[in-house]
Amino acid sequence: MAANGRGARSRDGKQLITPGARGAVVGYGPAMVDRFPEIASVEEFIRLRRSEDPAECDRSAWAAMPLTVWWQLVREHPEMRFWAAHNRTCPPEILAELIKDGDWRVRDRVLGKGSCPPELLEQLADDPHDAVRNTVATHPRSPRTAVARLVDDPWPVIAEAARVRLADWPTQ
């Protein structure tokens, strides 16, 4: 949650929904999350995700699910882990599980969330994939310690991004 107590903010400063919360999301219309009924089962999530109907795909990206359904989805359906991370209501404990995924795209999707918890960004500062490290270097919620670890990254683009972030870091 942001220091102002009103939730996380995106890279462009728009207020976002915090993981697991329900309510209006600035930039997505009134009560966008509340427009979608809760998903009750793994089978329903998979059906929605694979649907050719855009409204059903949207529901798989916005609707909340019970925590037991989240756990079943990520444990029993590895092919759906990216889409679990894509869902706007994915709870923090599921995000923490998804950053352990062997597929860099799943880890990067978790980190790409504007509401990604700083401790997850910290954990992936040494990720083997350059796209994941680049997300850590440029993410507005990355802790200073995570960004500092990237100033000597072997990929020059990441190292430069980390140096620029540190040079622009707000003083307190």
Side-chain angles (χ1 to χ4, degrees), residues 130-131 133-135 137-138 150-165:
D130 54 3
R133 293 191 318 277
N134 191 54
T135 300
T138 59
L150 295 169
V151 296
D152 294 319
D153 193 89
W155 192 34
V157 172
I158 295 172
E160 179 62 20
R163 284 192 288 276
V164 167
R165 282 281 317 280

Side-chain angles (χ1 to χ4, degrees), residues 28-170:
Y28 295 106
M32 184 69 165
V33 174
D34 289 331
R35 286 184 41 207
F36 299 101
E38 184 173 83
I39 298 170
S41 70
V42 168
E43 295 76 20
E44 183 181 16
F45 179 88
I46 293 171
R47 181 186 61 75
L48 293 168
R49 183 62 245 160
R50 291 181 175 160
S51 175
E52 293 185 22
D53 179 351
E56 289 193 341
C57 286
D58 283 350
R59 185 167 166 228
S60 75
W62 283 95
M65 296 189 289
L67 190 56
T68 56
V69 175
W70 281 108
W71 281 117
Q72 183 183 3
L73 179 67
V74 300
R75 288 180 177 151
E76 297 177 13
H77 298 276
E79 77 284 6
M80 289 286 134
R81 291 170 69 94
F82 176 88
W83 297 112
H86 183 71
N87 181 288
R88 276 29 169 228
T89 67
C90 190
E93 54 266 59
I94 300 299
L95 294 175
E97 176 67 21
L98 292 173
I99 67 160
K100 302 172 193 170
D101 197 278
D103 185 342
W104 70 269
R105 293 169 295 192
V106 173
R107 298 188 309 273
D108 195 58
R109 184 65 201 112
V110 170
L111 298 185
K113 291 178 159 298
S115 60
C116 183
E119 58 272 14
L120 301 185
L121 290 148
E122 181 80 49
Q123 290 177 41
L124 290 178
D126 300 315
D127 194 85
H129 200 279
D130 54 3
V132 174
R133 293 191 318 277
N134 191 54
T135 300
V136 173
T138 59
H139 197 287
R141 295 190 62 170
S142 286
R144 191 178 206 294
T145 55
V147 176
R149 291 189 352 234
L150 295 169
V151 296
D152 294 319
D153 193 89
W155 192 34
V157 172
I158 295 172
E160 179 62 20
R163 284 192 288 276
V164 167
R165 282 281 317 280
L166 288 176
D168 294 338
W169 206 273

